[in-house]
Amino acid sequence: MKQGGESGRLLITGAAGGMGSVCARLAAERGWRLLLCDLPGERLAALAGECGRLGAEVATLPLDVTAADQVAAVARAAADGGIAALVHTVGISPTMADWRRILEVDLIGTVRFLEALRPALAEGGAAVAISSMSAYLAPPFPDLERLLADPLAEGLLERLADPAHAALHDPGMAYSLAKRALRDYVRAQARRWGREGKRLNSISPGLIDTAQSRLEVETHRDTFRQLLAAAALHRMGRPEEIATAALFLVSPDASYIAGIDLLVDGGVVAGIASAPSQGSVR
């Protein structure tokens, strides 16, 4: 069913992935025109065809958020046609890369992309970035977090390579701190976006049943079982549950919501917080 205000153009990054593709199909059903961006390949082309058959007007563009030329090309295309909303799902998990690549994609590239696309976003429009439940679960590292609060600073990765920041060199911790820094960037920058009549929010998914998450589960079975045991809802989430939340946040129904992180984790963080005697779960 098409819903009010959803006939504008929506840009989805990571569109061929688990969360992105579900979001694209749901948006197509709701009447959005789509600009789908991801690494080029058969999955992106197939998704575009599927969304087209659902009645959506669809365009695709290649996107690696660490490639300046591709970010610029997407920004130009967005500016030429205008975009009413942006859902940014691009991200890599700890089993997929080392700490440096995780920071390049999940934080530095993501923030650079959001800033590049901000001018193309229509007044009254909204953007949502995907953070992670793990942003709430990692211990504090004040010195590291001060550095990560300026993700576009010159020479950041070189400073972070210092052995004094060895905690960050674990891919799991790099992922958690990158997602925390992204969440905090949204909070810090929402006022600046709001002065332009644009809303910026983030979503922190928990244990979501996607191919990427299943890879993490296979690698860290004991941690997964602990997290699932802590959840208020004793199950993994569905990608549709993240897509629905994202499309709500960019819709007119969320017109007074800005600068928040929406924790969609089935109650894992709450469960851990309410049972401190069991110790922290990482």
Side-chain angles (χ1 to χ4, degrees):
M1 177 186 298
K2 295 186 179 182
Q3 299 181 0
E6 299 183 3
S7 59
R9 189 160 69 146
L10 168 64
L11 192 160
I12 301 175
T13 71
M19 291 185 194
S21 61
V22 172
C23 189
R25 294 185 193 98
L26 184 58
E29 292 172 354
R30 293 185 177 185
W32 287 96
R33 293 182 289 119
L34 298 174
L35 176 55
L36 305 178
C37 300
D38 206 331
L39 300 176
E42 292 181 1
R43 289 195 303 171
L44 184 61
L47 176 66
E50 187 176 349
C51 291
R53 289 189 291 275
L54 290 170
E57 175 188 313
V58 186
T60 64
L61 279 174
L63 177 63
D64 173 349
V65 295
T66 67
D69 59 336
Q70 293 185 20
V71 171
V74 172
R76 285 194 300 271
D80 288 345
I83 55 170
L86 165 63
V87 176
H88 181 72
T89 78
V90 165
I92 54 177
S93 59
T95 59
M96 298 171 68
D98 64 10
W99 71 271
R100 183 182 291 266
R101 182 63 179 172
I102 288 169
L103 287 176
E104 287 174 338
V105 174
D106 291 1
L107 179 60
I108 298 168
T110 286
V111 169
R112 184 173 288 121
F113 181 79
L114 290 171
E115 290 298 330
L117 270 290
R118 180 171 54 84
L121 187 63
E123 185 174 352
V128 172
I130 300 298
S131 180
S132 169
M133 170 184 75
S134 67
Y136 291 82
L137 301 179
F141 289 93
D143 292 342
L144 274 173
E145 290 175 54
R146 276 191 290 272
L147 288 172
L148 294 173
D150 188 6
L152 303 185
E154 189 72 27
L156 175 63
L157 289 173
E158 286 68 28
R159 290 196 294 277
L160 293 173
D162 191 300
H165 302 309
L168 184 70
H169 302 164
D170 171 74
M173 191 59 67
Y175 178 81
S176 296
L177 294 182
K179 292 298 190 177
R180 181 182 291 171
L182 175 59
R183 180 199 68 186
D184 293 346
Y185 157 83
V186 167
R187 291 174 175 172
Q189 298 301 319
R191 185 172 183 271
R192 183 165 64 95
W193 285 56
R195 291 296 179 268
E196 298 176 1
K198 303 166 186 181
R199 296 184 297 107
L200 177 64
N201 293 293
S202 61
I203 293 175
S204 285
L207 303 168
I208 307 302
D209 190 11
T210 63
Q212 184 169 312
S213 292
R214 287 192 291 273
L215 179 61
E216 295 299 319
V217 169
E218 287 297 318
T219 306
H220 305 287
R221 284 185 175 275
D222 290 342
T223 299
F224 168 75
R225 281 193 285 265
Q226 291 178 58
L227 293 171
L228 198 60
L233 306 178
H234 193 67
R235 64 173 176 84
M236 292 186 75
R238 299 184 297 274
E240 293 81 0
E241 292 170 311
I242 303 301
T244 299
L247 292 181
F248 165 70
L249 285 175
V250 299
S251 77
D253 291 337
S255 58
Y256 201 56
I257 299 177
I260 69 153
D261 181 69
L262 182 59
L263 185 59
V264 186
D265 72 335
V268 172
V269 172
I272 291 171
S274 66
S277 63
Q278 297 179 16
S280 61
V281 179
R282 289 174 55 191

